[in-house]
Amino acid sequence: MTMTTAVACPEPEDGPQTGVDERESERGLATAEYAIVTIAAAGFAGALMAILKGGDVKGMLTSLIQSALSIG
C-alpha cells in the first residue's frame, strides 16, 4: 500500500521571487557602463592624437593659428 501526501503550493506573487531588491540586482551596471565609456573615450583620444600628429593637419593648424594671431 502506498500513501501520498498532497502539498499545497502558494500562488505566485507579482515581482521578483528571489526576494532581492531590483536596485540591488543592478548594482554593478553603472560601473560597467563607466568602464565602457572610459575605454571608448581613450580609443577616441588615441585616434584623435594620431590624426593631429600627421603632417598635413599639423600644418593646417599652424597656419590657422598664425593667421588668427596676425594683426593685419
Side-chain angles (χ1 to χ4, degrees):
M1 183 189 279
T2 307
M3 295 188 76
T4 58
T5 307
V7 178
C9 294
E11 290 294 320
E13 297 177 10
D14 293 338
Q17 295 294 319
T18 59
V20 177
D21 188 13
E22 188 175 323
R23 288 176 284 160
E24 189 174 321
S25 68
E26 296 178 356
R27 177 183 273 171
L29 289 180
T31 304
E33 291 167 358
Y34 285 133
I36 291 170
V37 169
T38 302
I39 291 170
F44 181 73
L48 188 61
M49 288 299 295
I51 291 170
L52 290 179
K53 283 189 175 184
D56 295 337
V57 175
K58 191 173 185 178
M60 287 184 351
L61 288 175
T62 303
S63 66
L64 179 68
I65 292 171
Q66 286 176 349
S67 66
L69 293 177
S70 66
I71 297 183

